Amino acid sequence: MARVLVQDAPFDIAAETAALTAGRTDVGGVGSFLGVCRADDGLAALVLEHYPGMTERAIARIAEEAEARWPLTGCTVIHRVGRILPGEGIVLVLTASAHRAAALEACAFLIDWLKTRAPFWKREEFAAGSHRWVEARAEDDAAAARWAKA
Amino acid sequence: MRVLYFAWVRQKVGVAEEVVAPPAEVRDVAGLVAWLAARTPGHAAAFADPRQLRAAVNQDFATPDHPVAANDEVAFFPPVTGG
């Protein structure tokens, strides 16, 4: 059962990683992806909106699929919403398993699917006061599609 | 029927959600889009290019031919950009 959180507050990657190995000796590796807010083109902040209810369901479903495809001992997905400043974490995916291949592959699967199947929308705010909605990228669809089962 | 809007779709429509009672001819997501688009100029602007829209029915992604019914929660939004 994955730990799924959607929250305004920053997350603590060290504490979340420690929680996946605490009290157990069957974990051989923890795969991680930390998405960070970049300051492209004078960006002042990202504002993330989501669809409460559907977001948690969508992430839980993606995590269940990861747990069905790889032998994970634990899995954590934390996605922030609201206003996020350059340099701050946006999303954290952690996958624990006995062996590295499962952990790393499951982690890549989770972030690729999160980008295309979880209902979040990013708006960029710039120093001059203007803002724009981020557009979906075809590369993200292609990255997610590579996980489709033959 | 409860209809929710997110991101620029919400901004164009002008409200985050509304309760609507479409006529019986509105049977699927595509039919609902056509009916909603005629409500106000804001709705028309939001639904002007259906290729830019995604939909969910009862919090699951739905295609234009997905049926809709009176008690459903239907949401319209742009392609997602999280992660």
Short mmCIF file of all heavy atoms in Angstrom, two decimals, chain A residues 15-43:
data_model
loop_
_atom_site.label_atom_id
_atom_site.label_comp_id
_atom_site.label_asym_id
_atom_site.label_seq_id
_atom_site.Cartn_x
_atom_site.Cartn_y
_atom_site.Cartn_z
N ALA A 15 13.56 12.14 5.75
CA ALA A 15 12.62 11.48 6.66
C ALA A 15 11.76 10.47 5.90
O ALA A 15 11.49 9.37 6.40
CB ALA A 15 11.74 12.52 7.34
N GLU A 16 11.35 10.84 4.67
CA GLU A 16 10.52 9.93 3.88
C GLU A 16 11.30 8.68 3.47
O GLU A 16 10.77 7.58 3.45
CB GLU A 16 9.96 10.65 2.64
CG GLU A 16 9.00 11.78 2.96
CD GLU A 16 7.71 11.30 3.64
OE1 GLU A 16 7.38 10.10 3.53
OE2 GLU A 16 7.06 12.13 4.30
N THR A 17 12.58 8.87 3.13
CA THR A 17 13.41 7.73 2.75
C THR A 17 13.63 6.81 3.95
O THR A 17 13.53 5.58 3.84
CB THR A 17 14.77 8.22 2.20
OG1 THR A 17 14.52 9.14 1.13
CG2 THR A 17 15.61 7.07 1.69
N ALA A 18 13.90 7.40 5.10
CA ALA A 18 14.14 6.61 6.31
C ALA A 18 12.90 5.80 6.68
O ALA A 18 13.01 4.65 7.13
CB ALA A 18 14.53 7.54 7.47
N ALA A 19 11.72 6.37 6.44
CA ALA A 19 10.49 5.67 6.80
C ALA A 19 10.30 4.39 5.99
O ALA A 19 9.66 3.44 6.45
CB ALA A 19 9.29 6.60 6.60
N LEU A 20 10.88 4.34 4.78
CA LEU A 20 10.72 3.14 3.94
C LEU A 20 11.60 1.98 4.38
O LEU A 20 11.36 0.83 3.99
CB LEU A 20 11.02 3.48 2.47
CG LEU A 20 9.94 4.28 1.74
CD1 LEU A 20 10.43 4.72 0.37
CD2 LEU A 20 8.66 3.43 1.58
N THR A 21 12.64 2.28 5.16
CA THR A 21 13.53 1.20 5.60
C THR A 21 13.43 0.95 7.10
O THR A 21 13.98 -0.04 7.59
CB THR A 21 15.00 1.54 5.26
OG1 THR A 21 15.32 2.81 5.84
CG2 THR A 21 15.22 1.61 3.76
N ALA A 22 12.74 1.81 7.82
CA ALA A 22 12.66 1.70 9.28
C ALA A 22 12.07 0.35 9.70
O ALA A 22 11.01 -0.04 9.21
CB ALA A 22 11.82 2.84 9.84
N GLY A 23 12.77 -0.34 10.57
CA GLY A 23 12.24 -1.57 11.17
C GLY A 23 12.22 -2.77 10.25
O GLY A 23 11.60 -3.78 10.57
N ARG A 24 12.88 -2.68 9.09
CA ARG A 24 12.88 -3.86 8.21
C ARG A 24 14.25 -4.09 7.60
O ARG A 24 15.05 -3.16 7.48
CB ARG A 24 11.80 -3.74 7.14
CG ARG A 24 11.85 -2.52 6.27
CD ARG A 24 10.55 -2.33 5.51
NE ARG A 24 10.18 -3.53 4.74
CZ ARG A 24 8.97 -3.73 4.22
NH1 ARG A 24 8.02 -2.85 4.39
NH2 ARG A 24 8.72 -4.84 3.53
N THR A 25 14.53 -5.32 7.25
CA THR A 25 15.86 -5.67 6.72
C THR A 25 15.77 -6.34 5.35
O THR A 25 16.73 -6.94 4.89
CB THR A 25 16.57 -6.62 7.71
OG1 THR A 25 15.71 -7.74 7.95
CG2 THR A 25 16.90 -5.92 9.01
N ASP A 26 14.61 -6.20 4.70
CA ASP A 26 14.45 -6.81 3.37
C ASP A 26 14.60 -5.81 2.24
O ASP A 26 14.42 -6.15 1.08
CB ASP A 26 13.09 -7.50 3.28
CG ASP A 26 11.92 -6.55 3.55
OD1 ASP A 26 12.17 -5.45 4.10
OD2 ASP A 26 10.78 -6.89 3.22
N VAL A 27 14.91 -4.56 2.56
CA VAL A 27 15.05 -3.52 1.53
C VAL A 27 16.51 -3.46 1.08
O VAL A 27 17.40 -3.23 1.89
CB VAL A 27 14.61 -2.15 2.08
CG1 VAL A 27 14.77 -1.07 1.00
CG2 VAL A 27 13.16 -2.21 2.55
N GLY A 28 16.73 -3.63 -0.23
CA GLY A 28 18.09 -3.58 -0.76
C GLY A 28 18.39 -2.27 -1.44
O GLY A 28 19.55 -1.95 -1.71
N GLY A 29 17.36 -1.49 -1.74
CA GLY A 29 17.59 -0.22 -2.41
C GLY A 29 16.33 0.61 -2.45
O GLY A 29 15.21 0.09 -2.42
N VAL A 30 16.53 1.92 -2.48
CA VAL A 30 15.41 2.85 -2.60
C VAL A 30 15.66 3.73 -3.83
O VAL A 30 16.67 4.43 -3.89
CB VAL A 30 15.24 3.73 -1.35
CG1 VAL A 30 14.09 4.72 -1.53
CG2 VAL A 30 15.02 2.87 -0.10
N GLY A 31 14.77 3.66 -4.80
CA GLY A 31 14.85 4.54 -5.97
C GLY A 31 14.15 5.83 -5.64
O GLY A 31 13.14 5.83 -4.93
N SER A 32 14.67 6.96 -6.16
CA SER A 32 14.00 8.23 -5.84
C SER A 32 14.00 9.17 -7.03
O SER A 32 14.93 9.17 -7.85
CB SER A 32 14.67 8.91 -4.65
OG SER A 32 15.94 9.40 -5.01
N PHE A 33 12.93 9.93 -7.14
CA PHE A 33 12.88 11.05 -8.08
C PHE A 33 12.37 12.26 -7.31
O PHE A 33 11.32 12.20 -6.67
CB PHE A 33 11.95 10.78 -9.26
CG PHE A 33 11.88 11.97 -10.18
CD1 PHE A 33 12.88 12.20 -11.12
CD2 PHE A 33 10.86 12.90 -10.06
CE1 PHE A 33 12.85 13.33 -11.93
CE2 PHE A 33 10.82 14.03 -10.87
CZ PHE A 33 11.82 14.24 -11.80
N LEU A 34 13.14 13.33 -7.38
CA LEU A 34 12.75 14.60 -6.76
C LEU A 34 12.59 15.61 -7.87
O LEU A 34 13.57 15.95 -8.56
CB LEU A 34 13.83 15.04 -5.77
CG LEU A 34 13.72 16.46 -5.22
CD1 LEU A 34 12.47 16.62 -4.37
CD2 LEU A 34 14.97 16.80 -4.40
N GLY A 35 11.38 16.09 -8.10
CA GLY A 35 11.14 17.13 -9.09
C GLY A 35 11.30 18.49 -8.42
O GLY A 35 10.73 18.73 -7.37
N VAL A 36 12.09 19.37 -9.06
CA VAL A 36 12.42 20.66 -8.46
C VAL A 36 11.97 21.79 -9.38
O VAL A 36 12.05 21.68 -10.60
CB VAL A 36 13.95 20.75 -8.21
CG1 VAL A 36 14.33 22.08 -7.58
CG2 VAL A 36 14.42 19.60 -7.34
N CYS A 37 11.52 22.87 -8.79
CA CYS A 37 11.06 24.05 -9.54
C CYS A 37 12.26 24.81 -10.10
O CYS A 37 13.12 25.27 -9.34
CB CYS A 37 10.24 24.94 -8.60
SG CYS A 37 9.67 26.46 -9.36
N ARG A 38 12.32 24.94 -11.44
CA ARG A 38 13.38 25.71 -12.10
C ARG A 38 12.92 27.15 -12.29
O ARG A 38 11.73 27.42 -12.38
CB ARG A 38 13.67 25.16 -13.50
CG ARG A 38 14.32 23.83 -13.59
CD ARG A 38 14.76 23.58 -15.05
NE ARG A 38 13.71 23.88 -16.00
CZ ARG A 38 12.83 23.01 -16.47
NH1 ARG A 38 12.87 21.76 -16.07
NH2 ARG A 38 11.90 23.37 -17.33
N ALA A 39 13.92 28.05 -12.41
CA ALA A 39 13.59 29.46 -12.62
C ALA A 39 13.81 29.85 -14.08
O ALA A 39 14.53 30.80 -14.39
CB ALA A 39 14.42 30.35 -11.70
N ASP A 40 13.18 29.12 -15.01
CA ASP A 40 13.33 29.44 -16.43
C ASP A 40 12.71 30.81 -16.75
O ASP A 40 11.64 31.15 -16.23
CB ASP A 40 12.61 28.39 -17.30
CG ASP A 40 13.30 27.04 -17.24
OD1 ASP A 40 14.36 26.94 -16.62
OD2 ASP A 40 12.75 26.08 -17.82
N ASP A 41 13.34 31.55 -17.64
CA ASP A 41 12.77 32.79 -18.19
C ASP A 41 12.29 33.77 -17.12
O ASP A 41 11.27 34.44 -17.30
CB ASP A 41 11.58 32.46 -19.13
CG ASP A 41 11.97 31.47 -20.22
OD1 ASP A 41 13.11 31.56 -20.69
OD2 ASP A 41 11.14 30.61 -20.57
N GLY A 42 13.01 33.86 -16.01
CA GLY A 42 12.63 34.81 -14.97
C GLY A 42 11.41 34.40 -14.16
O GLY A 42 10.71 35.24 -13.60
N LEU A 43 11.19 33.08 -14.07
CA LEU A 43 10.05 32.58 -13.31
C LEU A 43 10.19 32.94 -11.82
O LEU A 43 11.24 32.76 -11.22
CB LEU A 43 9.96 31.06 -13.45
CG LEU A 43 8.81 30.40 -12.69
CD1 LEU A 43 7.86 29.74 -13.67
CD2 LEU A 43 9.31 29.37 -11.71
#
